Amino acid sequence: RILEDPEIHHLISWTADGDMFSVSNPAVFSKEVLPQYFKHNNWQSFVRQLNMYGFHKVNDIIHSNLTSESQKWEFRHEHFRRGAIDALQNIKRK
């Protein structure tokens, strides 16, 4: 549901192909969005949870010159695709 909310598409959205999702400005995302969907507002905890369920960060932020406000983090999981509700059952905690 978080990816379907038009109010926050500027912070989290599917990529054009629908095979990944991206988070823009993790600081604002953590403060404004995470508490609406989770019991915390900690970006690193959110990323750890994604990793625990087999999601991988696609883009390499460390070697870019982006500031934290302009960062865009992209994540993918082979079974997490826009509209593929049936595939969600294949996403398991490691």
Side-chain angles (χ1 to χ4, degrees), residues 33-42:
V33 178
L34 283 182
Q36 294 178 37
Y37 292 90
F38 304 97
K39 294 178 182 176
H40 65 82
N41 65 350
N42 186 307

Side-chain angles (χ1 to χ4, degrees), residues 2-81:
I2 191 170
L3 282 160
E4 308 306 324
D5 186 344
E7 298 284 322
I8 57 174
H9 274 185
H10 64 288
L11 294 171
I12 184 169
S13 60
W14 288 105
T15 58
D17 292 339
D19 62 345
M20 294 184 285
F21 71 93
S22 65
V23 176
S24 301
N25 197 336
V28 173
F29 176 81
S30 297
K31 182 180 175 187
E32 296 180 7
V33 178
L34 283 182
Q36 294 178 37
Y37 292 90
F38 304 97
K39 294 178 182 176
H40 65 82
N41 65 350
N42 186 307
W43 172 251
Q44 291 304 323
S45 292
F46 177 69
V47 172
R48 262 192 308 275
Q49 286 291 314
L50 288 172
N51 291 335
M52 250 193 291
Y53 282 89
F55 285 81
H56 301 285
K57 186 171 68 157
V58 177
N59 55 343
D60 188 1
I61 303 275
I62 295 169
H63 296 104
S64 69
N65 290 327
L66 300 174
T67 64
S68 62
E69 292 81 27
S70 62
Q71 284 182 358
K72 181 178 269 194
W73 291 51
E74 294 177 331
F75 297 93
R76 85 175 296 279
H77 187 289
E78 64 178 317
H79 298 294
F80 192 71
R81 299 192 186 285

